[in-house]
Amino acid sequence: MSAVGNAFENVKAVILSAHKSATPRAKVGFYNSWAENYDQDVAVLEYRAPSLAANCISSYFSGEREAAIVLDVACGTGLVAKQSVSDVQMKKHGFQHFVGVDGSQAMLEIAKGTALYQDLKQSLLGEDLLPVQWEGSFDVVVIVGALSVGQVPVGVVRDLCKSTKPGGYVCMTTRSNLDNQGYKAALECELRKMEEEGLWTCVQVTEVEEWERAVAEQEDGYISGAVYLYRKSETVQNIRT
Ligand SMILES: C[S@@+](CC[C@H](N)C(=O)[O-])C[C@H]1O[C@@H](n2cnc3c(N)ncnc32)[C@H](O)[C@@H]1O
């Protein structure tokens, strides 16, 4: 699959073809076919979510960055970890140790080529659980561009919290456009419920107007999105379910 010349119209057609993938498994199949062109195509979309999440984490993380271990969930090709000329991602902020997980083998192959990840695991979230031995292990857990309708189910955020060290951070992003409204409401409901249960505290929620360029027929210009940062409670015990 290729967006010839990366013209916006071609990228738009590629993204719209993904809407035919109704299940997470089918969506991951779509990413397998898109992997090779993903980085250049999302640049055309002006996709800023990885750097917005990295900036948000960097503003609050006060620990030793060189020693911190970051779990990048739905890591794709590794845009959250990478540093590029124009964007400031986790590596540029001083983080050096990354573990990645994604459902798409082809996306993981590209992430492997960055040499930034000490471990990469294929896992279809929603069906597979994150490894039990990861519980309470990570200083930062981040998921960017994958919490949305047809991708990673909302319930997976509990697993993200479990994998985080007490006092560690969980950073999540979602889209705020029309087709994701129901998912976003369900996500926010789950985040609040987990706070009421004492699992974590909300540190910051940032609504961003110009998240990325709109591709749907009924949308123009840019769609909006949101970055959520939560801090896991110091006292929470991991309960294996
Ligand atoms: C938009 S990309 C985001 C990749 C990267 N985080 C970024 O911001 O560039 C979404 C990623 O989520 C992965 N994904 C979607 N649904 C998934 C699921 N249920 N389990 C595991 N990975 C999933 C896809 O394979 C893809 O790599």
Side-chain angles (χ1 to χ4, degrees):
M1 191 178 313
S2 168
V4 179
N6 278 333
F8 178 61
E9 286 306 316
N10 292 324
V11 176
K12 195 167 150 176
V14 171
I15 311 269
L16 289 176
S17 76
H19 291 182
K20 295 184 198 124
S21 315
T23 62
R25 192 173 287 280
K27 190 75 96 186
V28 160
F30 161 77
Y31 280 104
N32 277 331
S33 61
W34 195 25
E36 198 186 327
N37 293 305
Y38 176 84
D39 286 10
Q40 62 202 32
D41 287 358
V42 298
V44 173
L45 280 186
E46 299 176 32
Y47 175 65
R48 296 193 297 135
S51 52
L52 292 168
N55 291 346
C56 175
I57 294 163
S58 179
S59 312
Y60 287 92
F61 189 87
S62 59
E64 227 187 291
R65 291 173 190 215
E66 311 76 52
I69 306 186
V70 178
L71 175 62
D72 184 2
V73 179
C75 61
T77 59
L79 285 186
V80 168
K82 272 177 201 172
Q83 71 182 79
S84 66
V85 179
S86 54
D87 283 326
V88 182
Q89 263 87 272
M90 299 285 288
K91 179 92 164 84
K92 189 85 175 274
H93 284 300
F95 293 90
Q96 293 180 7
H97 302 286
F98 301 94
V99 170
V101 57
D102 199 281
S104 159
Q105 190 58 42
M107 297 291 267
L108 286 169
E109 286 301 325
I110 295 175
K112 190 174 171 191
T114 66
L116 286 172
Y117 293 86
Q118 61 192 53
D119 190 13
L120 286 164
K121 182 177 164 47
Q122 186 180 13
S123 178
L124 187 67
L125 300 161
E127 286 188 12
D128 306 328
L129 295 174
L130 293 177
V132 167
Q133 64 270 25
W134 283 2
E135 288 185 11
S137 297
F138 296 95
D139 300 276
V140 177
V141 175
V142 58
I143 181 165
V144 174
L147 285 172
S148 64
V149 64
Q151 297 204 89
V152 174
V154 164
V156 169
V157 295
R158 284 189 181 260
D159 251 16
L160 307 188
C161 182
K162 274 190 197 162
S163 298
T164 311
K165 282 183 185 169
Y169 289 91
V170 184
C171 184
M172 298 158 275
T173 72
T174 198
R175 291 185 280 107
S176 308
N177 63 322
L178 285 175
D179 77 346
N180 205 46
Q181 289 298 322
Y183 183 97
K184 187 176 187 233
L187 175 66
E188 291 182 349
C189 183
E190 186 70 356
L191 301 182
R192 271 195 305 274
K193 192 158 169 260
M194 289 171 65
E195 188 163 22
E196 283 159 18
E197 291 170 18
L199 296 176
W200 59 15
T201 310
C202 180
V203 177
Q204 190 180 348
V205 179
T206 313
E207 293 284 343
V208 180
E209 274 190 26
E210 295 197 352
W211 186 258
E212 66 194 37
R213 291 174 77 181
V215 295
E217 291 299 326
Q218 67 275 32
E219 290 168 341
D220 249 351
Y222 290 82
I223 61 163
S224 53
V227 183
Y228 306 86
L229 187 68
Y230 278 73
R231 186 157 199 208
K232 182 165 171 171
S233 304
E234 294 279 2
T235 52
V236 76
Q237 298 290 321
N238 279 319
I239 300 162
R240 288 183 185 167
T241 50

